[in-house]
């Protein structure tokens, strides 16, 4: 594990040609670690679902913006009475799916995969006017809506003294330690969620909204606004100077994104070369990689690299020792279907 600060520019390109551009604001937020003994940075996005209103105001919630997750999973209140965390949905696409949200102590949570017609983007939780609206029908006029996850329980760490996600939602509190109400997946891969009788393809709302790709720009100084550019054009692509192979090469290894039908990739789908050095000979290796804004550290599961790092005394308790130089360089083969990183 290597501690890293979140500095990221990525371009997820799933097609080519001109497209209408939309700039969607993100926020870089410093939050408490789940252990309570430190801090980390996260990207957040503020959203409403189906333009839900409560006591005359839009219901706006912060969600973790996660390029390592394939789905928008939002906390849903199931209790009686009026509650702003009870957002409406148009239909249940798949009840009791085996698609999991949050794992801990060996547990797996089940969520309902549902469809929502629109998702509103706000500048902050106190904003009353959306800056952008994801509209399923705008992407696909025959659409039944965006495929998302309705979370009713979790094994992830909860905030405060709450013993369940529903207890937190009943108090109108953010259920998770970091202060979010769920995860807005922004990955370029999809999953096939299945139950005993049905199945559904789940994937990012971004992938459900475009056939040309999106940019995540989050290497921001304090004076700039992190953002997503949805719908790529030639001018946006021209800003990127390094290409990292998308190993699926657009071959639909996974099912296409729902709603848009755009090509998807695999979870670990980009090839990077790595090097760690601390005074002696470097340890070098290559790995298929997931660029994951939802994970605070850089992790490798490469057994050979781990053994080499250990033999050269570059590890301390599983972490690379302080003062080491860590380098990551991407391979470039398919610039027309690529995930780009600077």
């Amino acid at each position: 594990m290597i501690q890293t600060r979140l500095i990221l520019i990525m371009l997820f390109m799933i097609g080519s040609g001109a497209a209408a551009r939309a700039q969607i604001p993100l926020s870089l937020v410093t939050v408490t670690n789940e252990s309570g003994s430190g801090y980390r940075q996260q990207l957040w996005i503020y959203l409403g679902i189906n333009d839900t209103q409560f006591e005359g105001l839009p219901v706006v919630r912060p969600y973790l913006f996660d390029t390592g997750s394939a789905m928008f999973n939002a906390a849903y209140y199931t209790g009686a009475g009026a509650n702003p965390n009870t957002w409406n949905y148009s239909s249940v696409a798949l009840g009791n799916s085996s698609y999991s949200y949050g794992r801990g102590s060996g547990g797996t949570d089940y969520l309902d995969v549902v469809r929502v017609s629109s998702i509103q983007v706000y500048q902050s939780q106190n904003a009353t006017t959306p800056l952008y609206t994801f509209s399923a029908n705008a992407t696909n006029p025959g659409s039944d809506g965006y495929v998302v996850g309705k979370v009713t329980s979790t094994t992830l760490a909860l905030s405060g003294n709450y013993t369940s996600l529903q207890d937190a939602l009943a108090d109108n509190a953010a259920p998770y330690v970091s202060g979010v109400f769920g995860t807005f997946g922004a990955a370029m891969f999809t999953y096939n969620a299945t139950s005993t009788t049905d199945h559904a393809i789940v994937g990012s709302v971004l992938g459900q909204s475009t056939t040309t790709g999106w940019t995540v720009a989050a290497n921001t100084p304090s004076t700039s606004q992190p953002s997503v550019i949805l719908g790529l054009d030639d001018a946006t692509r021209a800003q990127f100077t390094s290409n990292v192979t998308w190993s699926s090469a657009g071959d639909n290894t996974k099912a296409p994104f729902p709603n848009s039908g755009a090509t998807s990739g695999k979870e670990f789908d980009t090839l990077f070369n790595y090097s760690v050095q601390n005074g002696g000979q470097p340890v070098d290796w290559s790995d298929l990689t997931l660029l994951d804004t939802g994970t605070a550290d850089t992790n490798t599961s490469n057994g050979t690299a781990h053994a080499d790092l250990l033999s050269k005394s570059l590890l301390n308790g599983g972490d690379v020792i302080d003062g080491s130089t860590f380098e990551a360089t991407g391979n470039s083969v398919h610039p027309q279907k690529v995930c780009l990183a600077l």
Side-chain angles (χ1 to χ4, degrees):
M1 182 171 66
I2 303 166
Q3 298 288 335
T4 57
R5 181 179 181 275
L6 195 156
I7 302 177
L8 178 70
I9 302 181
M10 294 189 293
L11 175 66
F12 293 123
M13 189 183 302
I14 55 180
S16 59
R21 294 171 76 254
Q23 188 153 345
I24 297 166
L26 304 175
S27 294
L28 187 58
V29 181
T30 300
V31 301
T32 304
N33 285 332
E34 289 188 3
S35 64
S37 61
Y39 299 90
R40 66 186 186 275
Q41 288 184 307
Q42 291 183 338
L43 284 175
W44 284 11
I45 186 168
Y46 294 92
L47 302 173
I49 300 173
N50 279 349
D51 200 23
T52 300
Q53 308 280 311
F54 185 75
E55 296 181 347
L57 293 173
V59 178
V60 184
R61 297 289 181 253
Y63 297 91
L64 174 66
F65 183 89
D66 186 5
T67 60
S69 293
M71 191 177 182
F72 177 27
N73 296 321
Y76 182 90
Y77 181 66
T78 60
N83 186 293
N85 299 301
T86 305
W87 42 271
N88 296 320
Y89 56 95
S90 59
S91 63
V92 175
L94 174 64
N96 263 345
S97 89
S98 58
Y99 185 91
S100 64
Y101 180 71
R103 298 185 178 184
S105 303
T108 299
D109 306 315
Y110 295 102
L111 53 75
D112 283 335
V113 180
V114 301
R115 297 181 187 272
V116 300
S117 60
S118 66
I119 299 166
Q120 290 70 43
V121 183
Y122 294 83
Q123 185 68 56
S124 69
Q125 189 163 354
N126 296 322
T128 57
T129 302
L131 299 180
Y132 181 77
T133 296
F134 292 101
S135 174
N137 286 335
T139 308
N140 176 5
S143 174
D144 290 329
Y146 286 117
V147 176
V148 303
K150 185 179 69 172
V151 180
T152 56
S153 67
T154 184
T155 54
L156 295 174
L158 296 170
S159 62
N161 297 317
Y162 296 109
T163 59
S164 75
L165 181 140
Q166 291 300 315
D167 288 343
L169 295 180
D171 278 353
N172 198 25
Y176 301 108
V177 170
S178 61
V180 296
F181 283 74
T183 300
F184 185 82
M188 62 180 180
F189 57 87
T190 58
Y191 272 121
N192 187 347
T194 59
S195 72
T196 56
T197 57
D198 301 294
H199 74 279
I201 304 302
V202 299
S204 167
V205 168
L206 299 177
Q208 294 184 59
S209 299
T210 179
T211 58
T212 60
W214 60 95
T215 303
V216 181
N219 65 333
T220 57
S222 58
T223 55
S224 299
Q225 170 76 57
S227 64
V228 176
I229 298 175
L230 179 68
L232 302 181
D233 55 18
D234 292 340
T236 304
R237 295 186 186 92
Q239 298 176 41
F240 289 80
T241 59
S242 61
N243 300 346
V244 182
T245 305
W246 183 3
S247 67
S248 295
D251 61 2
N252 272 330
T253 303
K254 291 288 188 178
F257 282 99
N259 200 61
S260 68
T263 299
S264 68
K266 296 180 293 186
E267 184 170 0
F268 289 83
D269 213 11
T270 54
L271 185 63
F272 273 74
N273 303 320
Y274 296 100
S275 178
V276 175
Q277 186 174 22
N278 196 322
Q281 290 296 313
V283 172
D284 301 317
W285 74 98
S286 296
D287 258 335
L288 286 172
T289 301
L290 174 66
L291 297 174
D292 186 358
T293 59
T295 298
D297 308 308
T298 299
N299 301 282
T300 180
S301 58
N302 188 301
T304 301
H306 183 271
D308 290 345
L309 290 168
L310 194 62
S311 68
K312 294 188 176 182
S313 301
L314 291 173
L315 293 181
N316 179 19
D319 295 344
V320 172
I321 62 174
D322 291 343
S324 301
T325 299
F326 171 74
E327 295 181 350
T329 306
N331 271 297
S332 176
V333 178
H334 302 290
Q336 77 279 10
K337 294 183 184 297
V338 72
C339 173
L340 300 168
L342 293 180

